[in-house]
């Protein structure tokens, strides 16, 4: 009898565990299929009554992943914090290890690579003293590979950890991790210009995504695949795949990917000297870009409208509460008046009327000032948004002209383009910020850096950017963005020439009330020369600060500025 009860208990436990896995796995499948809104609804419903604390943690981590993919990092961070609090309550080493791996990817996606490395170090400490499940270990190795690519820039280490992740993922049949491990491996071979091997891995990646209905991942893999084919001069095959990928993206409502593939088709037709077809797809790309911008604009308007309605509702509630308070005060005043003698009645009524008059007048004045303040804030925000839109239009026009220009004008246009993008990025941050007087230096300058990714890759330049997260005045931010853009352009154009080992380093430090800006490259053309770039000098004069340039070991520029955020 006792043996029978034990068997029944084990059966019930296995059934509960299986149901938990099915619930968690279903949510993960929604994420893999890019059904993020459905995933939010699903997780919200399941979190009401989770079957266990462990399942609750997995659901919270899934919720965080959805909002991370939607780029809502604040909400994602809230769910990661909730998950970690639950993990601490049950003291589960496996889940704590998984949490640090997830946080490493969260910081990596936000380009906070030092913080990402710190999370993986915490996971490594748990791994030293505990046996970790293969599923979590595969994810850990995969994120290590990504970090060696983006942070440490050691390709052999990337290959080592990506292959370890791939072997484990295939063993446990984790399709998501198989996909991303193969993508890391293919990226290494592409950076080594071993396009044949990179193409072989990318074809395997596409098969994995296709066989598991991973539409978004499949479309993303086509981008790398077509680029590798183009770089290896397999133009006809690249064109065929780009046409297929564009149709695939259209069928699966992946508008952003469809725009990229139309641009690939346009460029391939140009390279194949079929200008008629190239211009046809140029028109298609511009039409899709306009459609994409309209959708983004509609979403923005809906968000603004929802925010306006919410604010209006909150104001109405505040007004109602004030009216209730006033009614209570008036009732209390009336009760007191009944106890006052007839001789003082007129004086009390007169005084009450006088107070009421001034209160209403002050209330009306405050309401008008509040309305004017909100209106001014909205107009400033809208102005920054429109400036950003106009600058984005200028960027598109310059980009189109860049593709048609000769090599002589090509670099000059890129120079102008990066400066316009730096100013456009600043206005984008001002539009998103609640406080338009300041900008987060880390977020803004990393966005400026992104505009140079293509130029750095094109010229085989390795970069190392370390930027402190500090709020700085918006006018300082503009000058720092222009300064970083001008110094980067100068290095790309003049510093290296035929030099093979090319590197650019940039660091922005914040200590007390002082901001330290240091930029350097290892170019040999400037060694032991006296240099004073004109535009750099003008920007520094505008900021009213001194700077220092040295050329003993390449070009080095540094300055220190005291912050005055008030």
């Amino acid at each position: 009898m006792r043996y029978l009860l034990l068997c029944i208990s084990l059966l019930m436990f296995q059934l509960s565990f299986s149901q938990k896995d099915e619930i968690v796995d279903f949510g993960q499948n929604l994420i893999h299929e890019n059904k993020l809104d459905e995933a939010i609804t699903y997780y919200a419903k399941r979190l009401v009554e989770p079957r266990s604390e462990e399942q609750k943690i997995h659901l919270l981590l899934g919720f965080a992943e959805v909002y991370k993919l939607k780029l809502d990092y604040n909400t994602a961070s809230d769910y990661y914090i909730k998950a970690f609090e639950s993990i601490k309550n049950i003291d589960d080493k496996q889940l704590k290890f998984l949490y640090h791996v997830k946080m490493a990817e969260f910081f990596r996606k936000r380009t906070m690579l030092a913080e990402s490395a710190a999370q993986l170090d915490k996971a490594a400490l748990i791994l030293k003293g505990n046996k970790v499940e293969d599923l979590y270990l595969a994810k850990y190795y995969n994120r290590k590979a990504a970090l060696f690519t983006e942070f440490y820039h050691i390709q052999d280490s990337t290959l080592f950890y990506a292959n370890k992740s791939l072997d484990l993922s295939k063993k446990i049949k984790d399709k998501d991790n198989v996909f991303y491990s193969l993508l890391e491996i293919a990226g290494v071979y592409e950076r080594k210009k071993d396009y044949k091997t990179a193409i072989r891995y990318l074809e395997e990646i596409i098969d994995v995504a296709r066989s598991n209905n991973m539409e978004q991942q499949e479309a993303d893999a086509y981008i790398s695949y077509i680029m590798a084919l183009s770089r290896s001069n397999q133009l006809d095959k690249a064109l065929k795949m780009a046409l297929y990928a564009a149709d695939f993206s259209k069928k699966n409502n992946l508008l952003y990917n469809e725009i990229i593939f139309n641009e690939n088709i346009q460029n391939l037709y140009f390279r194949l000297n079929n200008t008629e077809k190239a211009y046809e797809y140029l028109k298609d790309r511009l039409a899709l870009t306009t459609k994409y911008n309209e959708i983004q604009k509609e979403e923005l308007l809906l968000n603004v409208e929802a925010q306006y309605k919410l604010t209006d509702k909150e104001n109405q509630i505040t007004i109602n509460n004030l009216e209730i308070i006033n009614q209570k005060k008036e009732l209390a005043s009336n009760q007191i008046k009944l106890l006052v003698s007839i001789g003082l009645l007129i004086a009390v009524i007169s005084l009450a009327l006088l107070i009421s008059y001034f209160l209403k007048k002050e209330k009306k004045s405050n309401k008008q000032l509040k309305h004017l303040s909100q209106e001014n804030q909205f107009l400033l925000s809208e102005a920054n948004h429109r400036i950003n839109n106009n600058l984005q239009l200028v960027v598109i026009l310059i980009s189109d002209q860049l593709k048609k220009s000769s090599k002589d004008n090509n670099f000059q246009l890129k120079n102008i383009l990066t400066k316009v993008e730096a100013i456009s990025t600043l206005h984008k941050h001002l539009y998103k910020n609640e406080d338009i007087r300041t900008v987060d230096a880390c977020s803004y300058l990393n966005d400026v850096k992104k505009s140079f990714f293509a130029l750095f890759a094109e010229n085989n330049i390795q970069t190392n950017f370390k930027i402190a997260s500090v709020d700085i005045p918006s006018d300082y931010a503009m000058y720092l963005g222009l300064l970083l853009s001008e110094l980067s352009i100068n290095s790309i154009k003049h510093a290296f020439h035929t030099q093979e080992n090319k590197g650019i380093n940039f660091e922005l430090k914040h200590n007390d009330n002082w901001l330290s800006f240091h930029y350097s490259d290892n170019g040999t053309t400037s060694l032991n020369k006296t240099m004073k770039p004109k535009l750099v000098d003008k920007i520094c004069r505008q900021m009213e600060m001194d700077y220092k340039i040295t050329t003993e070991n390449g070009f080095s520029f540094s300055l220190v500025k005291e912050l005055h955020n008030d």
Side-chain angles (χ1 to χ4, degrees):
M1 183 66 180
R2 185 177 299 173
Y3 178 77
L4 179 61
L5 289 172
L6 180 62
C7 290
I8 293 171
S9 299
L10 287 171
L11 181 63
M12 292 299 292
F13 174 78
Q14 289 178 347
L15 180 61
S16 172
F17 188 80
S18 173
Q19 289 173 336
K20 180 207 72 172
D21 273 355
E22 288 176 3
I23 290 170
V24 173
D25 290 345
F26 185 82
Q28 285 298 310
N29 286 334
L30 289 175
I31 295 173
H32 293 156
E33 294 170 10
N34 204 37
K35 299 176 180 177
L36 301 183
D37 291 330
E38 288 184 36
I40 289 174
T41 304
Y42 176 79
Y43 280 126
K45 182 179 178 182
R46 292 297 179 180
L47 266 175
V48 175
E49 292 184 9
R51 295 181 183 275
S52 65
E53 192 68 16
E54 183 181 351
Q55 187 187 88
K56 175 185 174 183
I57 292 165
H58 282 290
L59 292 172
L60 288 169
L61 291 173
F63 235 140
E65 188 171 354
V66 172
Y67 281 107
K68 179 191 72 178
L69 293 172
K70 290 172 76 72
L71 306 183
D72 185 351
Y73 296 128
N74 288 334
T75 307
S77 180
D78 290 341
Y79 279 106
Y80 278 127
I81 291 170
K82 291 177 182 177
F84 189 62
E85 291 299 323
S86 296
I87 291 169
K88 287 196 295 185
N89 290 337
I90 63 174
D91 193 25
D92 189 310
K93 301 294 184 185
Q94 301 281 342
L95 291 176
K96 189 177 288 187
F97 180 86
L98 176 63
Y99 165 80
H100 289 305
V101 174
K102 293 271 188 184
M103 287 302 295
E105 173 58 14
F106 177 64
F107 285 122
R108 189 199 67 80
K109 190 171 180 64
R110 298 170 66 189
T111 66
M112 301 169 67
L113 300 181
E115 290 82 355
S116 179
Q119 290 295 326
L120 287 181
D121 289 342
K122 291 179 181 179
L125 288 175
I126 297 173
L127 185 59
K128 282 183 179 179
N130 301 275
K131 182 173 176 57
V132 175
E133 293 180 20
D134 287 346
L135 176 63
Y136 303 156
L137 197 57
K139 294 181 186 296
Y140 168 76
Y141 287 142
N142 184 271
R143 293 306 83 204
K144 286 280 282 187
L147 209 59
F148 272 105
T149 295
E150 299 175 27
F151 189 47
Y152 301 114
H153 307 294
I154 305 174
Q155 304 303 325
D156 291 339
S157 295
T158 299
L159 269 180
F160 175 76
Y161 284 109
N163 278 308
K164 287 184 70 120
S165 175
L166 181 62
D167 292 341
L168 276 177
S169 302
K170 286 182 175 179
K171 174 185 172 184
I172 61 178
K173 298 179 181 180
D174 181 0
K175 59 187 180 182
D176 189 49
N177 225 43
V178 167
F179 176 88
Y180 287 109
S181 298
L182 287 170
L183 200 61
E184 290 293 342
I185 295 170
V188 171
Y189 285 110
E190 189 171 351
R191 284 186 291 276
K192 290 184 174 183
K193 298 184 179 180
D194 183 356
Y195 298 121
K196 183 177 179 180
T197 306
I199 288 169
R200 177 166 58 81
Y201 275 106
L202 286 165
E203 287 172 346
E204 185 178 351
I205 290 167
I206 292 169
D207 288 339
V208 169
R210 187 179 294 157
S211 61
N212 290 287
N213 298 319
M214 300 162 74
E215 286 86 0
Q216 181 65 64
Q217 288 89 335
E218 184 177 347
D220 291 341
Y222 283 135
I223 295 172
S224 298
Y225 186 48
I226 293 164
M227 186 179 296
L229 289 171
S230 299
R231 288 176 175 171
S232 61
N233 290 319
Q234 300 182 51
L235 301 183
D236 291 327
K237 187 174 181 180
L239 179 60
K240 181 180 178 181
M241 286 308 306
L243 289 166
Y244 173 80
D247 183 61
F248 174 83
S249 298
K250 185 175 182 180
K251 288 178 180 177
N252 288 281
N253 297 317
L254 302 172
L255 181 58
Y256 183 75
N257 291 82
E258 189 180 354
I259 293 170
I260 294 173
F261 293 131
N262 271 268
E263 184 176 7
N264 289 337
I265 295 167
Q266 169 205 331
N267 292 332
L268 286 165
Y269 272 127
F270 267 124
R271 291 180 67 181
L272 291 167
N273 297 319
N274 191 340
T275 55
E276 184 178 347
K277 278 286 188 181
Y279 279 115
E280 178 184 331
Y281 277 92
L282 172 60
K283 292 177 183 178
D284 290 344
R285 180 176 68 81
L286 291 175
L288 289 170
T289 302
T290 301
K291 180 181 177 182
Y292 180 79
N293 289 335
E294 287 297 324
I295 291 172
Q296 295 294 99
K297 183 179 178 181
E298 287 177 11
E299 290 180 355
L300 179 63
L301 289 173
L302 287 172
N303 289 336
V304 170
E305 184 180 357
Q307 187 65 35
Y308 173 78
K309 288 180 179 178
L310 179 63
T311 304
D312 188 54
K313 188 175 181 180
E314 289 175 350
N315 290 338
Q316 190 60 48
I317 292 171
T318 303
I319 291 169
N320 291 340
N321 288 336
L322 288 172
E323 288 178 352
I324 291 170
I325 292 170
N326 287 335
Q327 288 174 1
K328 288 181 178 180
K329 287 182 178 179
E330 188 177 351
L331 180 61
S333 178
N334 290 335
Q335 290 174 344
I336 293 171
K337 288 175 187 178
L338 292 174
L339 302 175
V340 178
S341 64
I342 296 174
L344 296 176
L345 185 58
I346 297 174
V348 171
I349 292 173
S350 300
L351 184 60
L353 289 173
L354 189 61
I355 292 171
S356 177
Y357 169 76
F358 282 110
L359 283 174
K360 287 180 180 179
K361 188 175 180 180
E362 185 178 359
K363 182 180 175 183
K364 185 177 180 181
S365 176
N366 288 339
K367 191 175 180 181
Q368 289 175 341
L369 288 172
K370 185 177 181 181
H371 177 74
L372 286 172
S373 176
Q374 291 174 342
E375 188 177 42
N376 287 337
Q377 187 174 358
F378 176 79
L379 289 172
L380 282 171
S381 179
E382 189 64 16
N384 280 317
H385 179 51
R386 294 193 180 188
I387 291 170
N388 179 50
N389 284 347
N390 290 335
L391 288 172
Q392 284 298 315
L393 180 58
V394 173
V395 169
I396 291 170
L397 292 173
I398 295 174
S399 297
D400 287 342
Q401 188 64 35
L402 185 63
K403 294 168 186 173
K404 302 173 186 177
S405 66
S406 64
K407 289 185 177 180
D408 294 333
N409 295 327
N410 194 285
F411 198 89
Q412 292 300 325
L413 286 172
K414 287 181 180 179
N415 190 357
I416 296 169
L417 181 62
T418 55
K419 292 180 175 64
V420 173
E421 285 181 333
I423 299 172
S424 171
T425 301
L426 175 64
H427 283 283
K428 180 180 73 175
H429 280 263
L430 290 175
Y431 174 68
K432 290 182 178 180
N433 279 7
E434 292 183 2
D435 183 6
I436 62 173
R437 296 173 300 175
T438 62
V439 172
D440 178 55
C442 180
S443 177
Y444 169 57
L445 292 179
N446 270 313
D447 279 354
V448 172
K449 175 192 172 186
K450 288 177 185 175
S451 66
F452 284 90
F453 275 168
L455 281 173
F456 289 146
E458 182 182 325
N459 291 277
N460 295 320
I461 296 173
Q462 298 294 323
T463 61
N464 181 21
F465 281 53
K466 297 179 181 178
I467 304 170
S469 182
V470 55
D471 288 336
I472 60 175
S474 55
D475 55 341
Y476 287 3
M478 181 186 70
Y479 289 126
L480 291 180
L482 288 172
L483 196 57
L484 181 58
S485 297
E486 180 64 15
L487 290 169
S488 298
I489 284 293
N490 286 346
S491 293
I492 293 168
K493 186 175 180 181
H494 302 293
F496 305 107
H497 289 303
T498 59
Q499 184 177 338
E500 289 185 2
N501 181 22
K502 305 174 185 179
I504 290 177
N505 297 294
F506 172 64
E507 185 172 17
L508 188 76
K509 291 183 178 179
H510 177 242
N511 186 15
D512 294 332
N513 230 22
W514 291 89
L515 199 64
S516 174
F517 181 109
H518 182 74
Y519 174 95
S520 64
D521 65 52
N522 65 344
T524 58
T525 60
S526 63
L527 287 176
N528 300 316
K529 293 182 180 179
T530 301
M531 303 185 72
K532 188 176 182 181
K534 291 182 180 180
L535 185 53
V536 171
D537 184 65
K538 287 181 180 179
I539 293 171
C540 291
R541 287 208 306 269
Q542 287 279 56
M543 293 180 73
E544 298 181 351
M545 61 189 178
D546 296 325
Y547 61 91
K548 181 180 179 182
I549 293 177
T550 61
T551 58
E552 288 85 359
N553 298 305
F555 179 83
S556 175
F557 172 93
S558 60
L559 60 82
V560 177
K561 177 71 177 175
E562 186 176 12
L563 291 178
H564 298 287
N565 286 325
D566 53 346

